[in-house]
Amino acid sequence: IIDRPYSFMSGKTAYNPGNYRGVFLGSIPMRYGLVYSLNNATVYLAQRTGLSRISKNAVDMGCDGDIFPYYAMALGSFSTTPLSVAEMYSTLANYGTSKKAVIVDSITYDGQTLPRNLPEPKQVFDEVTAYQTMYIMQEVCTRGTARGAKMLAGTAAKTGTSDHSKDVWTVAISYPYVIVLWVGYDDYKRMNDDLSGGNTAAPIIAAFQKEYFGAGKSFTIPVPAGVKFEKVRSATGLIANGSGRGRTYTEAFREGHYPKKESVK
């Protein structure tokens, strides 16, 4: 996809998202939109996917309340709570199954366990989709917006920064655990513009991880059936044939759904 300044029309109103620090990367693999929090590429992809589909998916994943399908929604621009965000991302860690978060698992009184009226778990999307997303999120920690936070190896993360740094977020999947951290003022007072999810919230999660799990801990996200890894040429998005030049990366594909291969020279 192309990461460049876009103007998205909603009726007669134009929505012109900015990229962090005004950086645009041009022709990029789709995964870079998430890894580097590229707003224009992300909203462009959301437009192609369908805003209504995205808003419904967010609610199905555990978002507390309905989300109106507007362009900024694709960047997380809607009111929510850390608990609601944790529920949404736990759907990824549960491989597409949405489960309601509860503080009390069960209550036993006079030898009897009281019934709980919790909603049944709901399969929102399949295991391959969940794994592909978490696999891309791992690169956020190694070369993306949280690369300087030094989170434990194998962590999958997503950072978020509101306009003028009024608040910043980071979500980390330390499989099978989900950690959500929010930094800001209760009255939405503006913070320092230099603060971001990657340089402020993510390092706090990293410190918590090392205290809770131990500094030498690493995490592995199990690979479900139906995933195949291939080397891809960064500049073209084609499967590398081993003889070409240029940078490559390893992508997790759904079996049977691959890009074309480079021609042999």
Side-chain angles (χ1 to χ4, degrees), residues 136-161:
I136 294 174
M137 287 171 60
Q138 286 181 310
E139 196 174 19
V140 172
C141 301
T142 58
R143 61 181 297 182
T145 53
R147 61 189 177 278
K150 298 182 180 179
M151 285 193 272
L152 296 181
T155 299
K158 183 69 187 81
T159 65
T161 306

mmCIF file of all heavy atoms in Angstrom, residues 136-161:
data_model
loop_
_atom_site.group_PDB
_atom_site.id
_atom_site.type_symbol
_atom_site.label_atom_id
_atom_site.label_comp_id
_atom_site.label_asym_id
_atom_site.label_seq_id
_atom_site.Cartn_x
_atom_site.Cartn_y
_atom_site.Cartn_z
ATOM 1 N N ILE A 136 2.759 -9.741 13.405
ATOM 2 C CA ILE A 136 3.149 -8.404 12.971
ATOM 3 C C ILE A 136 3.424 -7.514 14.185
ATOM 4 O O ILE A 136 4.384 -6.740 14.210
ATOM 5 C CB ILE A 136 2.055 -7.779 12.080
ATOM 6 C CG1 ILE A 136 1.925 -8.554 10.768
ATOM 7 C CG2 ILE A 136 2.359 -6.308 11.785
ATOM 8 C CD1 ILE A 136 0.764 -8.105 9.891
ATOM 9 N N MET A 137 2.602 -7.631 15.222
ATOM 10 C CA MET A 137 2.766 -6.807 16.421
ATOM 11 C C MET A 137 4.103 -7.063 17.123
ATOM 12 O O MET A 137 4.612 -6.181 17.825
ATOM 13 C CB MET A 137 1.612 -7.058 17.392
ATOM 14 C CG MET A 137 0.282 -6.451 16.955
ATOM 15 S SD MET A 137 -1.115 -6.997 17.988
ATOM 16 C CE MET A 137 -0.596 -6.398 19.596
ATOM 17 N N GLN A 138 4.683 -8.228 16.944
ATOM 18 C CA GLN A 138 5.987 -8.491 17.553
ATOM 19 C C GLN A 138 7.059 -7.548 16.994
ATOM 20 O O GLN A 138 7.996 -7.172 17.695
ATOM 21 C CB GLN A 138 6.398 -9.947 17.335
ATOM 22 C CG GLN A 138 5.614 -10.932 18.205
ATOM 23 C CD GLN A 138 6.047 -12.366 17.987
ATOM 24 O OE1 GLN A 138 6.132 -12.847 16.849
ATOM 25 N NE2 GLN A 138 6.313 -13.072 19.066
ATOM 26 N N GLU A 139 6.905 -7.159 15.744
ATOM 27 C CA GLU A 139 7.895 -6.282 15.119
ATOM 28 C C GLU A 139 7.801 -4.849 15.649
ATOM 29 O O GLU A 139 8.752 -4.070 15.527
ATOM 30 C CB GLU A 139 7.743 -6.293 13.596
ATOM 31 C CG GLU A 139 8.948 -5.722 12.876
ATOM 32 C CD GLU A 139 8.862 -5.875 11.366
ATOM 33 O OE1 GLU A 139 7.756 -6.096 10.834
ATOM 34 O OE2 GLU A 139 9.915 -5.761 10.711
ATOM 35 N N VAL A 140 6.671 -4.486 16.268
ATOM 36 C CA VAL A 140 6.558 -3.179 16.907
ATOM 37 C C VAL A 140 7.643 -3.034 17.977
ATOM 38 O O VAL A 140 8.199 -1.953 18.175
ATOM 39 C CB VAL A 140 5.158 -3.007 17.538
ATOM 40 C CG1 VAL A 140 5.079 -1.734 18.377
ATOM 41 C CG2 VAL A 140 4.081 -2.981 16.448
ATOM 42 N N CYS A 141 7.970 -4.138 18.646
ATOM 43 C CA CYS A 141 8.955 -4.111 19.739
ATOM 44 C C CYS A 141 10.392 -4.174 19.232
ATOM 45 O O CYS A 141 11.306 -3.704 19.918
ATOM 46 C CB CYS A 141 8.714 -5.279 20.691
ATOM 47 S SG CYS A 141 7.070 -5.290 21.423
ATOM 48 N N THR A 142 10.611 -4.755 18.073
ATOM 49 C CA THR A 142 11.981 -4.952 17.596
ATOM 50 C C THR A 142 12.461 -3.857 16.665
ATOM 51 O O THR A 142 13.651 -3.529 16.657
ATOM 52 C CB THR A 142 12.108 -6.310 16.885
ATOM 53 O OG1 THR A 142 11.164 -6.370 15.791
ATOM 54 C CG2 THR A 142 11.812 -7.457 17.850
ATOM 55 N N ARG A 143 11.542 -3.261 15.876
ATOM 56 C CA ARG A 143 11.965 -2.207 14.954
ATOM 57 C C ARG A 143 10.932 -1.112 14.760
ATOM 58 O O ARG A 143 11.148 -0.174 14.011
ATOM 59 C CB ARG A 143 12.334 -2.800 13.591
ATOM 60 C CG ARG A 143 11.200 -3.524 12.898
ATOM 61 C CD ARG A 143 11.630 -4.111 11.574
ATOM 62 N NE ARG A 143 12.033 -3.098 10.613
ATOM 63 C CZ ARG A 143 12.425 -3.374 9.364
ATOM 64 N NH1 ARG A 143 12.480 -4.630 8.964
ATOM 65 N NH2 ARG A 143 12.773 -2.402 8.542
ATOM 66 N N GLY A 144 9.809 -1.221 15.461
ATOM 67 C CA GLY A 144 8.727 -0.260 15.291
ATOM 68 C C GLY A 144 8.698 0.805 16.367
ATOM 69 O O GLY A 144 9.728 1.190 16.933
ATOM 70 N N THR A 145 7.503 1.266 16.697
ATOM 71 C CA THR A 145 7.342 2.417 17.587
ATOM 72 C C THR A 145 7.760 2.141 19.028
ATOM 73 O O THR A 145 7.975 3.078 19.791
ATOM 74 C CB THR A 145 5.877 2.894 17.572
ATOM 75 O OG1 THR A 145 5.022 1.783 17.853
ATOM 76 C CG2 THR A 145 5.519 3.494 16.218
ATOM 77 N N ALA A 146 7.879 0.869 19.427
ATOM 78 C CA ALA A 146 8.298 0.534 20.798
ATOM 79 C C ALA A 146 9.693 -0.070 20.833
ATOM 80 O O ALA A 146 10.071 -0.702 21.818
ATOM 81 C CB ALA A 146 7.292 -0.430 21.438
ATOM 82 N N ARG A 147 10.473 0.143 19.777
ATOM 83 C CA ARG A 147 11.772 -0.534 19.689
ATOM 84 C C ARG A 147 12.747 -0.109 20.790
ATOM 85 O O ARG A 147 13.630 -0.876 21.171
ATOM 86 C CB ARG A 147 12.413 -0.278 18.322
ATOM 87 C CG ARG A 147 12.690 1.180 18.002
ATOM 88 C CD ARG A 147 13.123 1.358 16.562
ATOM 89 N NE ARG A 147 13.341 2.752 16.200
ATOM 90 C CZ ARG A 147 12.371 3.592 15.854
ATOM 91 N NH1 ARG A 147 11.131 3.159 15.817
ATOM 92 N NH2 ARG A 147 12.638 4.838 15.539
ATOM 93 N N GLY A 148 12.608 1.106 21.325
ATOM 94 C CA GLY A 148 13.529 1.555 22.359
ATOM 95 C C GLY A 148 13.096 1.212 23.767
ATOM 96 O O GLY A 148 13.831 1.496 24.727
ATOM 97 N N ALA A 149 11.939 0.587 23.918
ATOM 98 C CA ALA A 149 11.408 0.320 25.257
ATOM 99 C C ALA A 149 12.045 -0.887 25.926
ATOM 100 O O ALA A 149 11.985 -1.045 27.142
ATOM 101 C CB ALA A 149 9.896 0.118 25.177
ATOM 102 N N LYS A 150 12.629 -1.785 25.127
ATOM 103 C CA LYS A 150 13.306 -2.981 25.628
ATOM 104 C C LYS A 150 12.348 -3.912 26.371
ATOM 105 O O LYS A 150 12.640 -4.402 27.453
ATOM 106 C CB LYS A 150 14.487 -2.598 26.514
ATOM 107 C CG LYS A 150 15.555 -1.797 25.781
ATOM 108 C CD LYS A 150 16.743 -1.467 26.664
ATOM 109 C CE LYS A 150 17.787 -0.677 25.892
ATOM 110 N NZ LYS A 150 18.963 -0.314 26.732
ATOM 111 N N MET A 151 11.188 -4.139 25.739
ATOM 112 C CA MET A 151 10.269 -5.134 26.282
ATOM 113 C C MET A 151 10.859 -6.525 26.085
ATOM 114 O O MET A 151 11.734 -6.733 25.240
ATOM 115 C CB MET A 151 8.896 -5.004 25.633
ATOM 116 C CG MET A 151 8.120 -3.807 26.153
ATOM 117 S SD MET A 151 6.371 -3.796 25.730
ATOM 118 C CE MET A 151 6.423 -2.963 24.163
ATOM 119 N N LEU A 152 10.390 -7.489 26.859
ATOM 120 C CA LEU A 152 10.953 -8.831 26.816
ATOM 121 C C LEU A 152 10.755 -9.466 25.441
ATOM 122 O O LEU A 152 9.774 -9.196 24.746
ATOM 123 C CB LEU A 152 10.312 -9.703 27.893
ATOM 124 C CG LEU A 152 10.572 -9.279 29.349
ATOM 125 C CD1 LEU A 152 9.898 -10.250 30.313
ATOM 126 C CD2 LEU A 152 12.074 -9.212 29.644
ATOM 127 N N ALA A 153 11.700 -10.307 25.067
ATOM 128 C CA ALA A 153 11.682 -10.957 23.752
ATOM 129 C C ALA A 153 10.381 -11.721 23.541
ATOM 130 O O ALA A 153 9.880 -12.387 24.444
ATOM 131 C CB ALA A 153 12.879 -11.895 23.627
ATOM 132 N N GLY A 154 9.864 -11.616 22.323
ATOM 133 C CA GLY A 154 8.640 -12.329 21.964
ATOM 134 C C GLY A 154 7.367 -11.564 22.248
ATOM 135 O O GLY A 154 6.276 -12.019 21.904
ATOM 136 N N THR A 155 7.474 -10.375 22.869
ATOM 137 C CA THR A 155 6.296 -9.564 23.157
ATOM 138 C C THR A 155 5.708 -9.007 21.858
ATOM 139 O O THR A 155 6.438 -8.578 20.971
ATOM 140 C CB THR A 155 6.649 -8.390 24.088
ATOM 141 O OG1 THR A 155 7.150 -8.906 25.327
ATOM 142 C CG2 THR A 155 5.439 -7.522 24.379
ATOM 143 N N ALA A 156 4.389 -9.027 21.758
ATOM 144 C CA ALA A 156 3.675 -8.382 20.656
ATOM 145 C C ALA A 156 3.015 -7.136 21.224
ATOM 146 O O ALA A 156 2.401 -7.187 22.294
ATOM 147 C CB ALA A 156 2.625 -9.316 20.068
ATOM 148 N N ALA A 157 3.146 -6.003 20.547
ATOM 149 C CA ALA A 157 2.666 -4.751 21.142
ATOM 150 C C ALA A 157 2.053 -3.830 20.108
ATOM 151 O O ALA A 157 2.255 -3.977 18.911
ATOM 152 C CB ALA A 157 3.804 -4.031 21.868
ATOM 153 N N LYS A 158 1.296 -2.855 20.601
ATOM 154 C CA LYS A 158 0.775 -1.742 19.800
ATOM 155 C C LYS A 158 0.798 -0.505 20.659
ATOM 156 O O LYS A 158 0.331 -0.532 21.792
ATOM 157 C CB LYS A 158 -0.651 -2.015 19.306
ATOM 158 C CG LYS A 158 -1.196 -0.900 18.410
ATOM 159 C CD LYS A 158 -0.456 -0.868 17.091
ATOM 160 C CE LYS A 158 -0.843 0.343 16.235
ATOM 161 N NZ LYS A 158 -0.132 1.568 16.662
ATOM 162 N N THR A 159 1.370 0.571 20.115
ATOM 163 C CA THR A 159 1.418 1.835 20.835
ATOM 164 C C THR A 159 0.378 2.792 20.279
ATOM 165 O O THR A 159 -0.087 2.642 19.149
ATOM 166 C CB THR A 159 2.808 2.479 20.723
ATOM 167 O OG1 THR A 159 3.058 2.824 19.351
ATOM 168 C CG2 THR A 159 3.895 1.532 21.204
ATOM 169 N N GLY A 160 0.020 3.795 21.081
ATOM 170 C CA GLY A 160 -0.926 4.799 20.632
ATOM 171 C C GLY A 160 -0.620 6.145 21.253
ATOM 172 O O GLY A 160 -0.233 6.214 22.424
ATOM 173 N N THR A 161 -0.773 7.201 20.467
ATOM 174 C CA THR A 161 -0.510 8.557 20.935
ATOM 175 C C THR A 161 -1.605 9.474 20.408
ATOM 176 O O THR A 161 -1.813 9.545 19.190
ATOM 177 C CB THR A 161 0.862 9.064 20.436
ATOM 178 O OG1 THR A 161 1.881 8.142 20.811
ATOM 179 C CG2 THR A 161 1.173 10.436 21.006
#
